[in-house]
Amino acid sequence: MKKLTLKQQIEKDLNVAVRCVIKHLPFLGEFKITSSSQEGVDYQCNDCFALFKKLDKNMSWVSPFDLAESISKNFKSEFTEINVSKPAFLNFRIKNSQLVKIAKDINKNGKLQLENQEKQTVFFDYGGANIGKELHAGHLRTIIVGEALKRVYNAFGHDTIADTYLGDWGLPLGLIIAQLCENGGIKDGKLWVDITLEMLNDVYPLASKRKNIEPEFKKLAEDITAKLQNFVEPYYSIYKKIREVSVTRIKKNYERMGCTFDLYNGESNAQPYVDNVLGILEKQGLTYIDKDCLMINVAKDGEHIPMPKKNPADKNEPQLYKNPMPPVILQKGNGGDLYATSDIATILYRQRDFSPDKYIYVTDFRQSLHFTQVFRIIKKGNIVAKNIEFVHIGTGAVVGTDGKPFKTRDGGTIRLEEVVDMVKDAVINRGASAESAERIGVSALKFADLSNNVKTDFTFDMEKFTSFEGKTGPYLLYTVARINSILNKAIDLNTCLEEEIVSSTERNILTSIIKLVDSYPIALHTNTLNTIADSIYILAQTFNIFYGQTNILRETDTKKQSHYLGLCKLVKTSIEFALWSLGIDTVETM
RNA sequence: GUUCUCGUAGCUCAGUUGGAUAGAGCAUCAGCCUUCUAAGCUGAGGGUCCCUGGUUCGAGCCCAGGCGGGAACGCCA
């Protein structure tokens, strides 16, 4: 039997009452409750208006309010009180005994009880690392959001597989190797230098710059890329070495961000499946040739999108495409394949190896057209079963305080490592120990990101990250550290929640926990995390108010004191669980 | 040009399928540490939710049309 959350149980009771009242009519849909901002009201239901409207004019109710009152009279629940307010709101106030019961369960189980869901396997693709390049500030969001969302799925008991999908097969590798050839790093088919991260850090930016100004160099890099992709030596061995060095570093960076992957596959792993994919699509007659490229149309009927004009000033330039959505190039004029093809080929073997029910990609929002196209190809080409769900979460850009893409003062990118070092140093300056400083610093970065909407741009403001005041990650860790301090001093004392809740502050703590639990389904449903982040903050804030009002250790009434300690334990467990689900680690002391 | 996205307090942002008096943090001002960690707590001021229409009992949220910022749009990923 499925265990329902408090909210679900109240909804169930409510719908029994609704059916009681309108039993002789076809039912018009489930009534829903939402959390309420009204004083003394925990949940409210606003559905009486809509139901009244749908009802036959000959019914006995003269107004939505009238209807609400009838439902209210038929409402029976061991979980909540009900009352009606004008114009026609049904208001619910959870019984204290229920709040305490849930609190006791949390203390007993050491975690929040989330709603039961049918178990799924969900494949996560985030992180966005490229071989030969350092992770930088622009990677923050995909790492933070991807990891958090993965853990939220875990919190519900779903199986997850995380693959960072390395950019390890394109022109960048050719550029690095070309540069090594030119500076003598590779001679006579042999490698003469040690491949290190430091070296790659110098080589790639240089090669990338040369590509744009030296056509011969670009040609060389393209040739090498092609050879590499045909596994020609010594390029392939050198490539493998570069990959190894890079992955070690990338892993280390991810680790510092509290981020773990099950797989470090990349575009290269997709290569063996590319022909397979093209075969499947060609066989169904979905592809065509245009300008030497193998194309696929992903238009839906009735949609129209003109081809962009190369020169906006030229009004006579013909519009090449009248298709709904631009078609996709599967294979370049020279036979090479492109990222869309790799992505599809990757899905082919992911499906074979893991058969997930759902795929979630977290990348920068600029790739959203690309993913829409890929997902359409998957469906259109019957690459996987129809019921498998594909989701792309496009995060907003990381921007500086000027609103422009985040850059250092001299216009360069800032490495992820440097970002972590900076916040860590700031924490140490506040007097934290070296061990806990990094966690505290990373919590600031993560919470700042997660409490914003995924889609909007994320302002990278170092001053804000290092101030640690107000609604920040460190505030949450601080709350837990305060509780730890109390619990450590009270180690010999009883902790037992009482049925009687006296103060409204205590009750607020318990309802904050209910709201935290309710925030999880919202997160899953909308693929956003800020509702959870916000709920944790409110819980911490509510506790800190209680902390200010109550001296727990000096309480002389032992029954009261053990109740207070029970509340402490409850808040600690709840916050730690919720922070874990967002990928944020707590610290023992601060 | 087409499509996507954003526009809410001085600043950074929340606002859960439309719900009651639009909320936080920062900043500003005024208080609280001989008392469990002041990275904290209390209080005050601060709003044309970009504009104009529409839908309805009710719109920051939905629809239409504007204005403004950002982005994507065939051989990069």
Side-chain angles (χ1 to χ4, degrees):
Chain A
M1 198 179 84
K2 277 189 178 178
K3 192 166 189 257
L4 301 181
T5 60
L6 182 64
K7 187 181 177 191
Q8 289 174 321
Q9 292 185 13
I10 294 171
E11 268 174 353
K12 195 175 154 194
D13 292 340
L14 171 62
N15 281 292
V16 168
V18 172
R19 284 192 173 89
C20 242
V21 169
I22 54 164
K23 53 183 174 277
H24 49 300
L25 281 175
F27 193 62
L28 299 167
E30 292 286 311
F31 269 42
K32 297 262 165 76
I33 58 174
T34 55
S35 65
S36 174
S37 55
Q38 296 300 108
E39 185 68 35
V41 182
D42 298 317
Y43 290 116
Q44 69 182 61
C45 173
N46 311 320
D47 294 340
C48 291
F49 300 100
L51 178 58
F52 180 76
K53 194 171 247 181
K54 285 184 185 175
L55 287 177
D56 195 321
K57 290 270 156 45
N58 302 325
M59 300 306 299
S60 52
W61 301 288
V62 297
S63 69
F65 182 77
D66 201 18
L67 177 63
E69 285 208 306
S70 294
I71 292 170
S72 162
K73 275 175 197 147
N74 283 277
F75 182 81
K76 287 190 194 76
S77 175
E78 56 176 305
F79 307 105
T80 176
E81 311 288 347
I82 192 170
N83 71 64
V84 183
S85 64
K86 286 198 167 168
F89 298 111
L90 290 165
N91 303 315
F92 303 90
R93 186 176 164 88
I94 303 165
K95 290 180 181 171
N96 285 357
S97 57
Q98 289 300 323
L99 291 172
V100 173
K101 198 174 156 212
I102 288 170
K104 281 183 171 170
D105 277 351
I106 292 169
N107 273 352
K108 196 174 144 201
N109 300 326
K111 60 173 197 173
L112 298 177
Q113 179 70 46
L114 303 184
E115 76 175 37
N116 262 304
Q117 297 194 343
E118 203 173 314
K119 193 168 178 171
Q120 286 194 319
T121 302
V122 186
F123 201 105
F124 280 86
D125 185 323
Y126 63 97
N130 287 308
I131 297 296
K133 289 199 260 181
E134 288 271 11
L135 290 167
H136 54 81
H139 288 108
L140 276 169
R141 302 212 73 190
T142 172
I143 292 171
I144 294 171
V145 171
E147 180 71 20
L149 204 55
K150 180 185 78 180
R151 293 195 191 195
V152 169
Y153 272 84
N154 285 329
F156 275 99
H158 295 299
D159 288 332
T160 60
I161 303 138
D163 183 358
T164 193
Y165 196 58
L166 296 161
D168 65 348
W169 202 238
L171 187 62
L173 271 299
L175 285 168
I176 291 170
I177 297 175
Q179 180 65 28
L180 288 177
C181 284
E182 292 220 335
N183 68 15
I186 300 169
K187 233 182 346 194
D188 309 324
K190 276 193 173 169
L191 183 65
W192 294 90
V193 290
D194 253 356
I195 304 243
T196 62
L197 234 290
E198 290 66 33
M199 189 202 77
L200 293 176
N201 281 343
D202 295 336
V203 168
Y204 180 73
L206 179 64
S208 182
K209 223 174 262 174
R210 288 184 66 190
K211 168 194 73 179
N212 297 326
I213 47 178
E214 297 177 43
E216 325 82 64
F217 182 74
K218 191 184 173 194
K219 182 77 178 43
L220 174 67
E222 281 169 351
D223 286 348
I224 292 174
T225 307
K227 283 179 184 161
L228 175 62
Q229 296 188 339
N230 286 307
F231 306 96
V232 173
E233 292 295 354
Y235 306 114
Y236 187 62
S237 302
I238 294 168
Y239 154 79
K240 281 204 292 196
K241 180 75 188 159
I242 294 173
R243 192 183 197 282
E244 193 190 313
V245 170
S246 277
V247 169
T248 310
R249 181 54 150 284
I250 289 163
K251 270 188 187 168
K252 209 171 153 190
N253 267 305
Y254 281 151
E255 229 167 76
R256 292 186 75 182
M257 289 297 293
C259 184
T260 53
F261 289 94
D262 304 299
L263 303 169
Y264 280 82
N265 288 339
E267 294 166 311
S268 62
N269 298 75
Q271 292 316 300
Y273 306 92
V274 165
D275 288 345
N276 206 343
V277 165
L278 296 179
I280 294 171
L281 297 175
E282 280 171 352
K283 215 173 180 178
Q284 298 176 81
L286 298 172
T287 60
Y288 61 96
I289 306 284
D290 186 24
K291 295 191 176 142
D292 296 333
C293 296
L294 184 68
M295 308 286 300
I296 184 166
N297 203 334
V298 287
K300 274 186 193 162
D301 294 340
E303 290 180 333
H304 290 281
I305 183 173
M307 176 62 188
K309 288 176 179 158
K310 291 224 169 72
N311 175 9
D314 182 3
K315 286 181 182 153
N316 294 321
E317 179 153 355
Q319 295 192 338
L320 297 177
Y321 301 113
K322 292 201 173 112
N323 292 329
M325 175 165 286
V328 179
I329 300 183
L330 293 167
Q331 213 167 31
K332 296 196 277 193
N334 68 5
D337 53 85
L338 245 34
Y339 50 101
T341 320
S342 305
D343 275 337
I344 297 161
T346 302
I347 290 166
L348 199 66
Y349 78 77
R350 282 177 179 170
Q351 198 59 33
R352 182 198 63 193
D353 295 346
F354 303 102
S355 57
D357 304 294
K358 188 172 185 175
Y359 288 84
I360 297 181
Y361 293 78
V362 184
T363 74
D364 186 283
F365 74 104
R366 282 178 286 242
Q367 292 190 34
S368 61
L369 174 61
H370 160 66
F371 280 106
T372 309
Q373 291 177 320
V374 167
F375 298 163
R376 283 196 185 184
I377 296 170
I378 296 286
K379 292 251 163 84
K380 195 171 179 178
N382 299 303
I383 304 288
V384 301
K386 292 278 182 212
N387 58 348
I388 293 167
E389 199 182 338
F390 288 86
V391 179
H392 174 245
I393 296 163
T395 64
V398 177
V399 299
T401 43
D402 57 357
K404 292 182 179 151
F406 183 75
K407 292 271 158 68
T408 54
R409 277 203 194 88
D410 54 2
T413 52
I414 182 164
R415 288 185 290 129
L416 188 61
E417 253 184 328
E418 295 178 87
V419 174
V420 177
D421 285 340
M422 280 158 81
V423 290
K424 184 181 172 181
D425 288 347
V427 174
I428 289 174
N429 286 339
R430 297 261 326 204
S433 67
E435 317 86 271
S436 59
E438 186 152 318
R439 280 189 176 191
I440 298 168
V442 170
S443 82
L445 286 173
K446 288 196 167 192
F447 190 77
D449 190 346
L450 294 170
S451 55
N452 282 3
N453 191 314
V454 175
K455 273 192 288 190
T456 52
D457 287 350
F458 173 56
T459 306
F460 190 90
D461 185 347
M462 193 47 92
E463 242 176 76
K464 197 176 159 189
F465 291 146
T466 53
S467 71
F468 311 130
E469 266 156 33
K471 193 174 180 179
T472 61
Y475 175 87
L476 305 175
L477 302 200
Y478 180 67
T479 306
V480 174
R482 275 178 149 182
I483 296 174
N484 287 339
S485 175
I486 292 173
L487 292 178
N488 286 337
K489 284 172 186 161
I491 200 131
D492 299 325
L493 302 175
N494 270 332
T495 63
C496 182
L497 287 163
E498 294 299 324
E499 303 294 332
E500 281 300 306
I501 301 168
V502 274
S503 76
S504 61
T505 317
E506 282 171 65
R507 192 176 191 281
N508 287 343
I509 291 175
L510 299 178
T511 54
S512 298
I513 287 172
I514 301 292
K515 285 182 183 172
L516 177 60
V517 170
D518 289 342
S519 72
Y520 279 82
I522 294 171
L524 219 55
H525 183 244
T526 58
N527 289 314
T528 59
L529 298 152
N530 56 303
T531 315
I532 295 177
D534 226 47
S535 304
I536 303 172
Y537 175 71
I538 290 167
L539 172 59
Q541 204 178 32
T542 313
F543 177 81
N544 280 321
I545 293 168
F546 170 74
Y547 180 95
Q549 290 172 350
T550 323
N551 197 314
I552 298 159
L553 291 179
R554 290 193 167 197
E555 177 58 55
T556 49
D557 182 333
T558 53
K559 200 174 161 188
K560 256 190 185 174
Q561 190 181 48
S562 81
H563 174 64
Y564 291 157
L565 291 170
L567 277 175
C568 287
K569 200 173 146 196
L570 171 72
V571 173
K572 174 180 154 79
T573 305
S574 305
I575 293 182
E576 281 185 336
F577 176 86
L579 285 178
W580 164 81
S581 79
L582 295 185
I584 298 174
D585 293 319
T586 53
V587 294
E588 185 61 27
T589 59
M590 278 178 80

